[in-house]
Amino acid sequence: MNVQLVDSLVEIVLKLTPEEKQLFQERLIYQDFNKQTKKPLTSERKIKTLARVDRKSS
């Protein structure tokens, strides 16, 4: 991967507000889950996933 790209992404993430960081983390988890299962999250599964993110960020 391009080192300059990674450095730029790190710089951007470091500048995010706590709310933006939480949203970013939620999106990463959601994308990762979709990639692993090859199917979108159900509403129930999305709620459970977001609850896990809330606990981690507290």
Side-chain angles (χ1 to χ4, degrees):
M1 181 176 262
N2 186 328
V3 174
Q4 188 176 5
L5 173 63
V6 172
D7 288 345
S8 295
L9 288 171
V10 168
E11 190 175 319
I12 291 167
V13 170
L14 288 173
K15 292 179 182 178
L16 295 175
T17 66
E19 293 82 14
E20 292 168 332
K21 285 180 184 176
Q22 182 174 358
L23 178 60
F24 181 68
Q25 187 177 21
E26 289 170 4
R27 295 282 172 90
L28 285 176
I29 289 170
Y30 178 75
Q31 291 296 326
D32 186 48
F33 182 83
N34 279 342
K35 190 184 290 185
Q36 288 176 10
T37 62
K38 303 280 193 256
K39 59 184 176 184
L41 286 174
T42 63
S43 296
E44 181 181 336
R45 188 76 180 143
K46 191 180 288 186
I47 290 168
K48 288 178 183 177
T49 301
L50 295 177
R52 267 191 280 137
V53 171
D54 279 344
R55 280 183 294 216
K56 285 183 181 179
S57 64
S58 298

